[in-house]
Amino acid sequence: MKVKNRLKRREFMWLAASAVAIGSSISCGEVVSPWRSLTTDEADSLASLCNQIIPEDQDLGAASADVVNYIDVQLSSRLKRMKKVYRSGIAQLNDLSFERYGKKFISLSDQQQVEFLTAIDRDKAWKETTLHKFFRIVVDHTMQGFYGDPRHGGNRNRASWAMLNLPYPPIRGRFHGDANATNNSKVS
Amino acid sequence: MAAKNVNAVVIGAGAGGGIVAKELAEAGLTVLLLERGKWNTPFDDLKDDLRNQRVSVLGAPFGPDDERNPRVVVDAPGRERIVLPSDSEMEYNNNAACVGGGTVSYGAMAWRYMEQDFRMRSTYGSVEGSTLDDWPISYQDLEPYYEKAEWEIGVSGDDSNNIFRAPRKRPLPMPPLPPNREYTILKPAAQRLGFHPFDIPMLRNSVPYGGRVPCMRCRWCVGFACEVNAKNGTQNTVIPKALVTGNCELKTDCMTKEILTDARGRATGVAYYDENDHLQEQTVDIVVVSCGANESARLLLNSKSSLFPNGLGNRYDWVGRNLQGHAYTGACGLFDFEVYDDIGPGASIAICDFNHGNPGLVSGGMLANEFIRLPIEFVGQDQPVVKDWGREHKDFMRQWFKRSIVVYGPVQEMPVFDARVQVDPVVKDHWGIPVCRLSGRRHTNDIHVAEFLSTKAEEWLKEAGAIKTWPQLPDSRLSGGQHQAGTCRMGNDPKTSVVNKDCQVHDVDNLFVIDASVHVTNGGFNPVLTIMANAYRASDILVRNWKGTKFR
């Protein structure tokens, strides 16, 4: 999956300046994840998981509609407390996939992924497991990222609303609100 | 620090408190109106599909905030958990916390309860496992005040075709909004079935009224503030009127800690944390509690003293009991043609054929088409039909989002003594005040009635042309939510109620509870107009008594 550079230029310049100031204390060899909360591997696994929840077809799927970005943003802000759940959930998904199919989740065929997730979601044996619970959490968050407001990092270009043929009407007050949204970190 | 004495402190600027503040201020009393939330303008609402009072996964914009306001929920097996406002609106029992309270972001249905709704015990007899009772007042006592609320706050609609309605002296001040597509589909179907459909009364401008414009019919309605201020709440009607009298001071961001009493058992003031979290004391002549059923009970229970060791009004352990809301029931129907016209508020047509007189059942409820929905709110509707993720889900959304109607309604619940608000012995909020501890469940009767009403909803949808329908039923978890009521029951007997019919706490002459807490039963309707009417009625009595005695 293509990963955009998520730093604005000004922020990047500021970071670069700080890095220089701090000097040698930063190792230059490490690969830094472009995500806020997830590692690159985790983000890739999550992308293929989300893409089974909202698959790609004539309309955008979850991954190309920036659902992973939505989840990543939330995990670094509002849902910080769920970071561990994601970390262990994704690890468990890959472990069990390896146990069952000899491959990581991301390398399974489309059919295998659906079969695996359907079992986790629907089979009685899975109902009380942490993986089942994790999967239901990801379903919820994927729906939020896909159908929710684009200002939270998902639903790229209002893809889901376009899919449902719902125009986005320009209404007085809406743009006023959107302008404020960027610096609306304060909780009312 | 003690501030200058005021005549009345009204705690909570919602549907009830806003009206009380205005009525008292206009009668010449000096009033301090305390609100724990903020005064939002219509422009503060970002029309955010994930952050509104209905879908609060990213927070509740009209409060309360997650950071400072935990609650404890005890589930049926007795496990307790801390919940936050955004965790799950149903579990937390959230109502808004801001100037206007729930009336800022509500759907604004403006129902008068029916005559039987005030005489439930007389109508149905006693019900096992329920504290069902009659109100100490009748519909006739409230009728003039219903009218006052309809005209002063502003209601549009037309219930003249509702043959079940209680008699009214004056029609509604505004005509209904023009019909949307769901209305035109559902109305003839209801008539063919012998139902009596009519235009839902709503606290919403259909024509210019009260100096504000009519509804612009957008998609972001229930759960949001109105951008053009066409939704009528206390924040844009009575509260500004209270302020222009010059007698009322509104203080926002003020969290009330407790009501103070003296050795004679009279309320002498309130202690509250101001916007800088400094503890303030205000001396008063009378105190009016209007915080909503959860928080009103909490405040009374937290106001302990040697005379009132279990909290104010709680001599017989009735404060916080009988917590009710509404068990929402109905059905979803799929059509082979488009029914979604993107015209808000969506909810437009209702029937009251099944509020009472349902064979073999106690109570009932109104049925109406649901408010216009956003895509995120349609997610999950597919659960009974197809897998709720994957290709099936995506196909379902594409195929049915614009081809489905939900008919829905509130079941009048049976009050349950053990469905209750307590204060938690351990967990405290940001200010160190013990939080609400919620426990209990719904009465089984609510579920039976819900099942019955959902079959009627399915019948209506099928007659309207639905090719597939399925019921949407409530579970037995504790009720409450935005329609929270019942925790400070109004009654004549001090042993089985908290306030008398004037909304005056039995034990404390100068302490009043004026909000949905006093509802004995909560009707098969959205309760807000009844809260407003009762607030006008109680204020009227209060002012008359004030002029005679000043409660000294």
Side-chain angles (χ1 to χ4, degrees):
Chain A
M1 196 189 120
K2 214 177 104 192
V3 176
K4 283 188 295 187
N5 184 351
R6 276 158 218 287
L7 287 177
K8 286 189 192 138
R9 183 180 154 78
R10 193 193 296 166
E11 289 167 6
F12 176 79
M13 294 306 284
W14 184 84
L15 275 180
S18 332
V20 169
I22 296 163
S24 58
S25 66
I26 287 182
S27 127
C28 299
E30 254 176 60
V31 181
V32 180
S33 169
W35 301 94
R36 296 166 185 81
S37 327
L38 302 162
T39 66
T40 313
D41 277 356
E42 282 169 345
D44 290 347
S45 296
L46 191 57
S48 58
L49 174 55
C50 294
N51 251 0
Q52 288 303 343
I53 294 166
I54 309 270
E56 194 92 34
D57 49 20
Q58 70 268 33
D59 296 301
L60 291 192
S64 45
D66 283 351
V67 168
V68 176
N69 184 49
Y70 166 80
I71 295 174
D72 183 58
V73 168
Q74 299 315 319
L75 289 180
S76 69
S77 51
R78 199 163 173 95
L79 298 175
K80 220 173 232 171
R81 64 200 147 96
M82 302 210 75
K83 218 158 151 176
K84 274 189 197 146
V85 176
Y86 267 84
R87 190 133 293 164
S88 64
I90 293 168
Q92 212 187 351
L93 184 75
N94 279 324
D95 289 352
L96 281 163
S97 160
F98 207 84
E99 228 170 74
R100 217 165 147 159
Y101 301 96
K103 289 177 193 164
K104 280 172 119 184
F105 183 77
I106 195 169
S107 315
L108 301 184
S109 72
D110 188 57
Q111 205 187 338
Q112 283 171 323
Q113 286 186 343
V114 174
E115 181 192 287
F116 185 35
L117 294 177
T118 308
I120 292 170
D121 185 35
R122 299 241 150 164
D123 281 8
K124 276 214 174 88
W126 286 94
K127 273 275 139 72
E128 292 301 313
T129 61
T130 50
L131 192 56
H132 171 80
K133 283 175 194 154
F134 171 65
F135 176 69
R136 292 311 311 179
I137 289 170
V138 181
V139 170
D140 283 353
H141 290 169
T142 303
M143 297 301 170
Q144 292 163 17
F146 190 70
Y147 295 107
D149 202 292
R151 64 164 71 89
H152 299 295
N155 198 2
R156 176 193 282 181
N157 298 333
R158 305 172 188 135
S160 64
W161 301 348
M163 172 182 105
L164 299 174
N165 198 14
L166 273 182
Y168 189 71
I171 289 175
R172 198 187 112 198
R174 184 81 28 84
F175 299 112
H176 176 102
D178 283 348
N180 269 351
T182 47
N183 50 24
N184 189 43
S185 55
K186 212 179 105 200
V187 177
S188 63
Chain B
M1 186 192 87
K4 196 175 108 232
N5 183 69
V6 296
N7 294 140
V9 164
V10 179
I11 307 160
I19 286 171
V20 176
K22 178 235 162 199
E23 290 292 297
L24 300 191
E26 285 192 345
L29 282 78
T30 52
V31 178
L32 173 62
L33 178 56
L34 290 176
E35 168 55 49
R36 65 175 166 145
K38 296 182 187 309
W39 195 345
N40 300 95
T41 75
F43 293 114
D44 291 342
D45 193 4
L46 301 176
K47 300 295 175 206
D48 190 327
D49 299 33
L50 300 176
R51 190 167 183 274
N52 58 73
Q53 296 300 116
R54 269 224 164 165
V55 182
S56 57
V57 292
L58 299 183
F62 302 120
D65 59 78
D66 281 4
E67 287 71 15
R68 299 182 297 178
N69 298 282
R71 274 180 187 167
V72 175
V73 166
V74 186
D75 65 11
R79 289 172 302 206
E80 50 186 74
R81 228 151 21 89
I82 292 179
V83 291
L84 303 177
S86 71
D87 280 350
S88 160
E89 181 203 297
M90 290 317 285
E91 275 194 309
Y92 184 85
N93 243 330
N94 195 15
N95 208 335
C98 62
V99 176
T103 70
V104 173
S105 53
Y106 62 179
M109 287 195 194
W111 297 102
R112 292 181 175 207
Y113 287 177
M114 291 162 66
E115 287 173 305
Q116 297 96 310
D117 295 333
F118 296 92
R119 295 187 276 110
M120 289 297 284
R121 176 73 180 252
S122 305
T123 308
Y124 293 100
S126 72
V127 173
E128 201 182 330
S130 170
T131 47
L132 188 66
D133 213 336
D134 291 349
W135 289 50
I137 58 168
S138 68
Y139 172 79
Q140 282 69 27
D141 293 325
L142 218 46
E143 202 282 333
Y145 301 101
Y146 270 131
E147 182 185 304
K148 190 168 181 185
E150 285 166 350
W151 283 79
E152 183 157 336
I153 317 268
V155 175
S156 63
D158 182 4
D159 61 356
S160 54
N161 287 330
N162 177 15
I163 61 164
F164 303 98
R165 70 167 192 198
R168 61 158 68 243
K169 292 210 179 75
R170 211 173 161 194
L172 294 170
M174 285 180 273
L177 288 164
N180 62 350
R181 199 176 295 162
E182 288 190 4
Y183 180 100
T184 58
I185 294 164
L186 289 170
K187 186 171 183 181
Q191 283 166 334
R192 284 197 297 276
L193 289 167
F195 302 162
H196 301 82
F198 59 95
D199 295 82
I200 302 174
M202 291 212 179
L203 287 141
R204 172 193 308 283
N205 288 355
S206 60
V207 292
Y209 195 84
R212 283 170 291 105
V213 298
C215 172
M216 63 171 178
R217 319 211 61 179
C218 83
R219 199 185 297 156
W220 289 266
C221 188
V222 60
F224 301 91
C226 181
E227 284 170 353
V228 296
N229 229 346
K231 234 172 357 184
N232 302 323
T234 53
Q235 81 288 349
N236 55 13
T237 54
V238 287
I239 292 174
K241 281 186 188 170
L243 299 180
V244 298
T245 62
N247 291 333
C248 177
E249 186 187 1
L250 168 65
K251 283 192 178 173
T252 56
D253 286 302
C254 288
M255 183 70 186
T256 307
K257 177 172 173 266
E258 63 180 318
I259 297 157
L260 307 166
T261 46
D262 62 13
R264 290 161 56 211
R266 287 172 46 86
T268 54
V270 294
Y272 66 93
Y273 291 96
D274 67 12
E275 73 271 29
N276 300 318
D277 288 353
H278 295 144
L279 190 61
Q280 306 283 354
E281 275 184 23
Q282 175 66 55
T283 59
V284 286
D285 298 319
I286 56 173
V287 177
V288 179
V289 180
S290 307
C291 316
N294 282 268
E295 295 290 317
S296 286
R298 176 187 174 203
L299 179 58
L300 293 186
L301 292 171
N302 274 329
S303 301
K304 292 175 182 166
S305 60
S306 54
L307 264 183
F308 304 101
N310 301 318
L312 291 170
N314 200 29
R315 194 174 302 281
Y316 297 100
D317 190 23
W318 272 69
V319 172
R321 302 274 190 180
N322 305 308
L323 177 64
Q324 301 152 65
H326 284 120
Y328 261 84
T329 181
C332 183
L334 305 181
F335 293 75
D336 54 9
F337 53 93
E338 281 205 5
V339 297
Y340 182 94
D341 56 4
D342 205 17
I343 291 179
S348 50
I349 186 166
I351 55 170
C352 288
D353 293 67
F354 305 106
N355 276 66
H356 292 284
N358 300 316
L361 290 171
V362 179
S363 90
M366 159 283 282
L367 285 174
N369 65 326
E370 178 56 326
F371 283 91
I372 191 167
R373 70 183 91 80
L374 303 167
I376 187 74
E377 292 170 326
F378 191 61
V379 168
Q381 297 274 14
D382 48 358
Q383 223 157 10
V385 193
V386 295
K387 202 165 72 174
D388 62 347
W389 54 275
R391 284 185 203 292
E392 294 93 326
H393 160 80
K394 209 174 174 190
D395 287 341
F396 183 92
M397 291 294 286
R398 276 189 294 236
Q399 194 170 359
W400 301 117
F401 178 74
K402 288 191 163 184
R403 297 184 185 85
S404 60
I405 299 180
V406 173
V407 167
Y408 227 36
V411 172
Q412 166 140 235
E413 295 185 346
M414 291 298 108
V416 175
F417 198 57
D418 286 331
R420 66 190 296 200
V421 179
Q422 291 167 284
V423 288
D424 196 85
V426 182
V427 181
K428 295 190 169 57
D429 66 10
H430 167 78
W431 299 271
I433 310 168
V435 302
C436 285
R437 176 187 172 88
L438 305 165
S439 60
R441 325 172 54 127
R442 281 200 173 102
H443 196 280
T444 46
N445 183 71
D446 306 343
I447 311 296
H448 296 320
V449 176
E451 283 162 357
F452 168 76
L453 281 177
S454 74
T455 63
K456 293 297 168 189
E458 283 189 272
E459 196 183 328
W460 188 4
L461 287 163
K462 285 210 173 92
E463 182 64 32
I467 49 176
K468 185 175 175 60
T469 62
W470 63 91
Q472 299 193 328
L473 293 167
D475 59 26
S476 63
R477 274 186 303 184
L478 181 68
S479 192
Q482 311 96 308
H483 294 182
Q484 52 188 258
T487 55
C488 302
R489 176 176 284 196
M490 185 199 294
N492 294 323
D493 183 356
K495 288 184 180 149
T496 57
S497 59
V498 177
V499 298
N500 65 17
K501 65 183 170 50
D502 301 341
C503 294
Q504 187 175 26
V505 173
H506 286 306
D507 277 353
V508 189
D509 286 348
N510 61 343
L511 174 62
F512 298 78
V513 180
I514 304 180
D515 60 17
S517 312
V518 304
H519 292 189
V520 177
T521 49
N522 209 21
F525 298 106
N526 308 48
V528 72
L529 196 74
T530 304
I531 300 171
M532 291 170 167
N534 186 51
Y536 277 118
R537 186 190 66 92
S539 312
D540 204 4
I541 298 168
L542 208 164
V543 166
R544 260 184 277 145
N545 288 341
W546 170 264
K547 286 178 176 156
T549 66
K550 297 205 187 288
F551 295 94
R552 290 208 179 98

